[in-house]
Amino acid sequence: MTVGGRLRIHGRVSFKLLKNLIDYQGAWRLAKSDLSHSVIIEAAEIDYDAKSDPGPRPRSILAFTGGVDSTFALCHNASEHGGLARHNIGAAIMIDGINSGPSTEKPRDVLADLRRISGAWDVPTGMIRFDIFKLYDAANPAIGVWVAASLSLFSGSFNVGLIGAIGDWLRPTYDVFGSHPLLDPYLSSGQMAIRHEGAQFTRAEKIKLLASDLGGIDNLRVCFFSEPGLRNCCRCEKCIRTMLTCIAVGHEVPAAFPLGLRLQDIGIGMGNSAVLFWAAGVIAASERWDTGDHPAMRRLGRRYRTKRVKVAAKTRFSQIRQRLTGLRRSR
């Protein structure tokens, strides 16, 4: 969509997928105006009758990283907590290489970690690996597309491709991740429906449930910089954010973070609007669960207020500079 043009499919494709992709492009053009070029799709053969028959409890395959969102999706659906509408998860698949290139860990070590969680629910887990940055511009992410495409490889055995929702229904996650619970389902085909799980919960609510009712909190893998033998570094922004959220909802730092939380690390990575958004969510959670007096929460509040002012000033300066650049070019 960045460059536009034509895409020809040399084979048979369902009408449902073609129609969905037209709607998907339209939604993206409204959400991100810079992606304004339509892709005209042509197909050698269109199947107007293809449609999946998922039945009362369709078999689902879950994109599984061991992080908060996918672990919640697994535990919430595999347990009775998911209620009558929970998905029947038949398998979980780790799609390695989407966020920051392939993991430096050995695949068998990563899978052993993931199976500590999925094995508790008798869900078989596998892995596929590729390097997204050899195929795509890292500055323009489309994680939803890559996850849906990877899940669709298994459409011969599963009716539903399940994605643990990165954000809730109202969070514009396409700004950062190129994924949204209202947009990604338009990547469904006649063979497989793509669905998000957990978009009705905030990240803090997911962590609260994982720590109290669902289990799985002690085996989380949230770190992008983990080293062999240490699934979470406990020092990067992602690790710090997760540990802070655990404290905010009234729980101690879980065993998944063996090095613990250092107060001096709070504020790392908080120099951009996306991380500030997450920090605001943690602060809101501490107010909801009345944990604002915890030393870590007090430290976070101070760092958030300071960083928010700096980021706002930086953003305003950038806008003024862009406007001046535009005026010079117009002359």
Side-chain angles (χ1 to χ4, degrees):
M1 290 182 66
T2 303
V3 298
R6 292 178 179 269
L7 173 66
R8 179 159 184 81
I9 303 171
H10 297 277
R12 193 175 188 181
V13 62
S14 69
F15 174 76
K16 180 177 181 180
L17 177 59
L18 293 177
K19 178 63 171 66
N20 280 343
L21 290 178
I22 292 173
D23 292 339
Y24 182 80
Q25 291 185 66
W28 263 96
R29 284 198 302 273
L30 291 175
K32 298 286 286 182
S33 59
D34 54 322
L35 298 177
S36 58
H37 305 289
S38 295
V39 177
I40 299 173
I41 303 174
E42 302 170 344
E45 183 179 358
I46 301 176
D47 187 346
Y48 290 94
D49 298 320
K51 62 179 181 178
S52 60
D53 182 16
R57 286 202 67 201
R59 276 172 55 81
S60 305
I61 182 168
L62 170 68
F64 187 57
T65 65
V68 171
D69 300 315
S70 62
T71 298
F72 178 82
L74 173 67
C75 298
H76 189 247
N77 283 279
S79 69
E80 294 297 324
H81 195 278
L84 296 176
R86 67 187 187 275
H87 294 277
N88 176 25
I89 299 179
I93 187 77
M94 167 67 166
I95 307 168
D96 186 32
I98 287 181
N99 287 322
S100 56
S103 170
T104 57
E105 296 181 83
K106 294 180 180 179
R108 65 185 180 188
D109 293 336
V110 175
L111 280 174
D113 253 356
L114 296 177
R115 286 167 179 165
R116 289 190 181 95
I117 306 173
S118 61
W121 304 105
D122 295 324
V123 174
T125 301
M127 175 187 286
I128 56 177
R129 309 187 85 198
F130 65 93
D131 190 347
I132 188 175
F133 300 125
K134 290 183 178 179
L135 305 172
Y136 199 68
D137 180 6
N140 189 10
I143 288 178
V145 174
W146 290 110
V147 173
S150 300
L151 293 173
S152 295
L153 295 172
F154 304 91
S155 60
S157 302
F158 300 93
N159 310 95
V160 175
L162 205 58
I163 302 173
I166 299 172
D168 58 48
W169 293 111
L170 302 180
R171 164 68 170 152
T173 48
Y174 48 76
D175 281 346
V176 181
F177 304 107
S179 176
H180 195 278
L182 292 176
L183 298 187
D184 290 352
Y186 283 102
L187 298 169
S188 302
S189 68
Q191 294 281 328
M192 174 178 279
I194 301 297
R195 297 177 183 169
H196 273 234
E197 171 62 26
Q200 70 271 40
F201 298 96
T202 66
R203 190 174 182 84
E205 288 172 335
K206 292 177 185 178
I207 287 178
K208 178 71 172 178
L209 287 168
L210 286 172
S212 55
D213 297 332
L214 298 178
I217 195 75
D218 287 331
N219 290 309
L220 288 177
R221 290 177 55 92
V222 304
C223 186
F224 291 148
F225 309 106
S226 57
E227 300 177 359
L230 186 67
R231 70 172 69 99
N232 297 300
C233 75
C234 304
R235 301 293 178 255
C236 69
E237 184 276 326
K238 188 81 178 292
C239 286
I240 294 167
R241 179 206 316 168
T242 306
M243 290 187 285
L244 284 170
T245 307
C246 290
I247 294 171
V249 301
H251 289 270
E252 296 298 324
V253 173
F257 302 92
L259 301 182
L261 175 67
R262 300 186 306 189
L263 291 180
Q264 64 264 35
D265 291 335
I266 297 175
I268 288 177
M270 210 184 291
N272 64 69
S273 56
V275 178
L276 279 177
F277 177 89
W278 295 121
V282 176
I283 293 171
S286 71
E287 294 172 351
R288 175 178 174 181
W289 279 282
D290 196 24
T291 57
D293 287 337
H294 192 285
M297 292 298 104
R298 292 201 300 269
R299 171 84 173 187
L300 175 63
R302 291 193 297 270
R303 298 292 289 167
Y304 172 76
R305 289 188 291 271
T306 301
K307 292 285 188 178
R308 184 176 58 179
V309 172
K310 291 183 178 179
V311 170
K314 182 179 178 181
T315 301
R316 181 59 178 163
F317 177 77
S318 178
Q319 291 172 344
I320 293 173
R321 185 172 59 184
Q322 290 176 2
R323 187 175 301 175
L324 291 174
T325 301
L327 289 174
R328 293 192 192 100
R329 289 176 178 173
S330 64
R331 293 175 182 176

